Amino acid sequence: MKTIGRLIILIALISVLISCQKENTNTLVLSTAKIEFLATGSESNLTIQTDASSWSIENKAKDWLTLSATSGTQNEAKITLCVLSKTLVARKDTLIVRAGNAAPARLVVSQASSEYLYDLSVDKSDMTFNSSANSVSLLITSDVPAWSLSCEADWVQFSRKTGFAGTTTVNISMTENLGTTERSANIVLNAKDAPTSKISITQKGSFPNYNTNPVDPDNTGMSSTAMEIAKKITAGCNIGNTLEAIGGETYWGNPQITNDYIKLIKQSGFNAIRLPCSWNQYADQTTAKIKDSWLARVKEVVGYCVNNDMYVILNIHWDGGWLEKNCTEAKKEENNKIQKAYWQQIATQLRDFDERLLFASANEPNVNDATQMAVLLSYHQTFVDAVRSTGGKNAYRVLVVQGPNTDVEITNKLMTQLPTDNVQNRMMVEIHYYSPWNFTGMEKDETWGNMFYYWGKDYHSTTDAAHNPTWGEESYVDATLKLMKTKFIDKGIPVVMGEYGCGIRTKLTGDALTLHKAGRAYYFKYVTKQAKANGILPFFWEAGGDGALFNRANNTIKDQQALDALIQGAAQ
């Protein structure tokens, strides 16, 4: 009996003990049981919740995984897990979290494999350069222990070939490509366990020498100096929007130039022609070779002029702006090579014409400061040297160089010197005159000023005073043209006014249109007269269209009023 009682008491005590143990068991909860890290490395967060007085983490992945904390006393703890490195082989481990007497919790961590352990990059990939000696900088960024650069081409050199983790600038230089064909090479940036980068370099070939048959100087028919020729030119006329038309001679709406058209210009009172001409669109962009057919066509038109005893100025006009938009140091070397190649070909093709043919370096080069002016001077120097090098009559030909923007005031300020020439007194300077622009070219009223419909002291409107000039009339013409006389002509350097003129305000009607046309004719007469009075050679901008002097479709005079004004002004 006593035995049974003791057994009952023992069982009761055990039950109480078990009950107490259950009541004292801690809880432990993780926010996730699995974290997968990116191949490149990344961060992730883990939250631990427990009612134990402390917790701890056994990090079995400590060689590749870092934890913001491995133990603590918080009931709710947020842990940041971070993988900083890549791995070539996928890896996986289990972290064990303990808290009080709670059952341990497990967190499985893993990281996918990466193709590379390190990053290695460069800021450039494909680069193309002209044939000149060039240099460029590469910015290399990496976390590799060491990297190297290599190239199979001996014309490519590096300022350094090796480097280490961090950011490094390497200068790459290329020697001049003296060959006529393009060449290329690959620069390879390489490091162990890092991606390989290839930088492709292409360098254009040099243009061939087109002065292949220079001849001895020939002074036959070339005895006149620039000033002597200037005295022989009475009035000049452009044939605009034709040989310089992008797309072809007739692409801008004018017919092809004919001998009969040249005769019409001559019979109308002009004895000189300016031929704006495009060349770049007819040239191979790799070799700068101008099409023989185009050289022949231009020669034909020059022949029409000379055979009609007309002086003729042939230029490289806008031509897509390859030169005129790029009077910059960045384009200087490349453009001088193009300028040389073109003028070697042009000058050789037209070498046998006598002094009635003049060459002009450009048209309206965009230049607004001394730095750009220095670049323009180099283009003019290349032009002079290329023409003279071909020999024959070109050794004595009068050459025309353009002022900056062909603007009178800018030219007066910035054109402090001319190219060097090996023959004396055979150079002219060119400016254009479209002042006031409100009258000659402005197409709509602006907040800063209105269009001018009328010009000249006796041609102001009493009913449309808003469109009378507020500047740029007779006194302005007198003052600006005199600048060219003082700067050049008085020093024995002729000045060509290669373009001037304005269209007709066709929206005007009645008396307003009549007054506009009368003022326009007066403008032509006055500007032409003042140009001649200052020794400047006027070449009217005749380009077809509404303001044309001639109807080129049937070779008749279209605007007798304007034509008379020009010829009368030239005769003053």
Side-chain angles (χ1 to χ4, degrees):
M1 186 70 179
K2 289 181 180 180
T3 302
I4 294 173
R6 291 174 179 167
L7 181 59
I8 292 171
I9 293 170
L10 180 60
I11 292 171
L13 289 171
I14 293 172
S15 298
V16 171
L17 181 60
I18 292 172
S19 175
C20 290
Q21 287 179 339
K22 288 182 178 179
E23 290 177 3
N24 293 330
T25 299
N26 297 122
T27 59
L28 176 61
V29 178
L30 305 183
S31 58
T32 183
K34 180 173 66 173
I35 296 178
E36 296 177 344
F37 292 94
L38 300 177
T40 56
S42 57
E43 287 187 355
S44 189
N45 293 320
L46 172 69
T47 301
I48 300 173
Q49 292 178 319
T50 182
D51 58 4
S53 60
S54 63
W55 53 265
S56 64
I57 302 175
E58 181 184 352
N59 183 8
K60 293 187 175 182
K62 59 185 177 182
D63 58 334
W64 58 275
L65 175 68
T66 60
L67 308 178
S68 60
T70 57
S71 63
T73 58
Q74 311 97 313
N75 294 127
E76 180 173 299
K78 292 185 177 179
I79 311 300
T80 300
L81 295 81
C82 182
V83 175
L84 298 176
S85 61
K86 301 175 185 178
T87 178
L88 298 178
V89 179
R91 47 195 175 188
K92 183 176 183 181
D93 275 300
T94 300
L95 277 60
I96 301 175
V97 183
R98 294 182 174 87
N101 59 10
R106 287 171 169 76
L107 173 65
V108 177
V109 292
S110 62
Q111 183 186 13
S113 63
S114 174
E115 187 176 359
Y116 304 106
L117 288 181
Y118 304 105
D119 292 321
L120 179 62
S121 62
V122 64
D123 66 336
K124 296 179 176 65
S125 54
D126 297 332
M127 298 180 289
T128 300
F129 300 91
N130 59 45
S131 61
S132 305
N134 288 280
S135 63
V136 65
S137 62
L138 300 179
L139 188 65
I140 298 172
T141 305
S142 73
D143 58 359
V144 298
W147 52 259
S148 64
L149 279 171
S150 62
C151 182
E152 73 279 9
D154 59 5
W155 50 274
V156 179
Q157 292 89 36
F158 310 117
S159 60
R160 60 183 299 175
K161 293 185 177 181
T162 59
F164 307 97
T167 300
T168 306
T169 298
V170 178
N171 292 320
I172 309 295
S173 59
M174 289 142 277
T175 59
E176 181 178 5
N177 184 3
L178 298 176
T180 59
T181 58
E182 187 175 88
R183 62 186 180 183
S184 60
N186 287 321
I187 296 173
V188 179
L189 174 62
N190 191 42
K192 183 180 180 182
D193 295 331
T196 298
S197 295
K198 287 187 178 181
I199 305 102
S200 175
I201 291 183
T202 300
Q203 188 180 33
K204 295 179 180 179
S206 296
F207 299 137
N209 175 24
Y210 290 105
N211 187 24
T212 56
N213 61 333
V215 297
D216 293 335
D218 179 5
N219 198 31
T220 306
M222 305 297 294
S223 60
S224 299
T225 65
M227 286 298 288
E228 289 169 341
I229 287 179
K231 292 176 182 178
K232 298 175 185 179
I233 294 177
T234 56
C237 181
N238 278 266
I239 304 180
N241 292 356
T242 309
L243 294 182
E244 87 276 29
I246 303 300
E249 184 176 351
T250 63
Y251 204 74
W252 288 352
N254 285 316
Q256 283 193 324
I257 299 170
T258 63
N259 190 53
D260 286 341
Y261 179 55
I262 302 300
K263 287 182 178 179
L264 173 65
I265 296 174
K266 175 72 177 293
Q267 293 165 0
S268 298
F270 298 97
N271 77 331
I273 296 287
R274 180 174 179 260
L275 284 177
C277 194
S278 171
W279 304 94
N280 195 56
Q281 65 174 321
Y282 301 104
D284 184 303
Q285 297 303 300
T286 300
T287 64
K289 173 69 174 70
I290 301 170
K291 290 182 179 178
D292 291 337
S293 58
W294 185 245
L295 287 165
R297 171 56 183 160
V298 175
K299 183 175 183 179
E300 180 180 38
V301 174
V302 170
Y304 295 158
C305 299
V306 173
N307 292 339
N308 281 284
D309 196 23
M310 301 277 276
Y311 289 89
V312 55
I313 298 176
L314 176 70
N315 73 356
I316 291 182
H317 209 69
W318 167 246
D319 215 8
W322 65 268
L323 183 150
E324 300 192 357
K325 281 176 60 178
N326 296 290
C327 293
T328 62
E329 282 293 333
K331 283 287 188 178
K332 176 181 176 181
E333 200 163 2
E334 177 183 355
N335 281 348
N336 271 311
K337 291 186 177 183
I338 299 173
Q339 178 87 323
K340 177 181 179 180
Y342 288 171
W343 278 111
Q344 282 180 333
Q345 295 171 79
I346 298 166
T348 298
Q349 177 76 1
L350 304 174
R351 182 167 51 198
D352 295 334
F353 285 105
D354 64 22
E355 65 182 24
R356 287 171 291 184
L357 172 62
L358 292 73
F359 292 144
S361 175
N363 175 49
E364 293 179 348
N366 294 356
V367 169
N368 296 294
D369 57 43
T371 300
Q372 293 174 328
M373 186 64 226
V375 175
L376 175 59
L377 181 61
S378 78
Y379 295 161
H380 289 335
Q381 189 65 61
T382 295
F383 156 71
V384 171
D385 293 344
V387 172
R388 296 287 183 239
S389 70
T390 61
K393 291 179 171 56
N394 288 337
Y396 302 98
R397 192 170 307 284
V398 169
L399 304 179
V400 184
V401 293
Q402 292 61 46
N405 289 313
T406 53
D407 178 271
V408 172
E409 293 171 291
I410 300 176
T411 298
N412 185 61
K413 177 182 178 182
L414 294 180
M415 201 167 197
T416 58
Q417 66 181 105
L418 299 181
T420 301
D421 196 0
N422 58 16
V423 57
Q424 298 298 310
N425 304 316
R426 300 299 172 105
M427 193 171 296
M428 297 182 180
V429 170
E430 180 179 352
I431 51 94
H432 295 171
Y433 198 84
Y434 288 110
S435 295
W437 183 249
N438 307 58
F439 180 67
T440 62
M442 193 169 166
E443 296 182 349
K444 64 184 181 69
D445 292 341
E446 300 287 357
T447 55
W448 49 265
N450 290 342
M451 295 180 286
F452 301 162
Y453 295 161
Y454 319 101
W455 194 90
K457 59 184 176 59
D458 296 328
Y459 297 92
H460 286 197
S461 174
T462 58
T463 58
D464 186 17
H467 292 100
N468 284 331
T470 58
W471 69 283
E473 293 187 280
E474 291 94 338
S475 61
Y476 182 84
V477 174
D478 297 348
T480 52
L481 295 186
K482 188 171 179 59
L483 293 174
M484 295 294 94
K485 181 178 187 300
T486 302
K487 189 173 185 69
F488 298 112
I489 297 166
D490 288 349
K491 298 173 184 176
I493 304 166
V495 175
V496 176
M497 185 188 292
E499 295 181 19
Y500 71 109
C502 70
I504 295 175
R505 302 287 185 180
T506 56
K507 292 183 179 180
L508 297 178
T509 58
D511 291 343
L513 180 60
T514 300
L515 182 62
H516 163 67
K517 287 184 176 180
R520 176 175 177 264
Y522 174 65
Y523 174 85
F524 291 166
K525 181 177 180 179
Y526 193 88
V527 172
T528 305
K529 176 182 176 180
Q530 290 306 107
K532 293 298 296 283
N534 284 283
I536 299 171
L537 311 180
F539 282 74
F540 179 74
W541 180 250
E542 165 67 15
D546 293 332
L549 298 177
F550 307 110
N551 185 333
R552 288 171 55 182
N554 55 20
N555 288 331
T556 58
I557 295 172
K558 182 179 180 181
D559 191 338
Q560 190 70 54
Q561 180 186 37
L563 176 60
D564 289 346
L566 290 164
I567 300 305
Q568 289 168 13
Q572 298 291 321

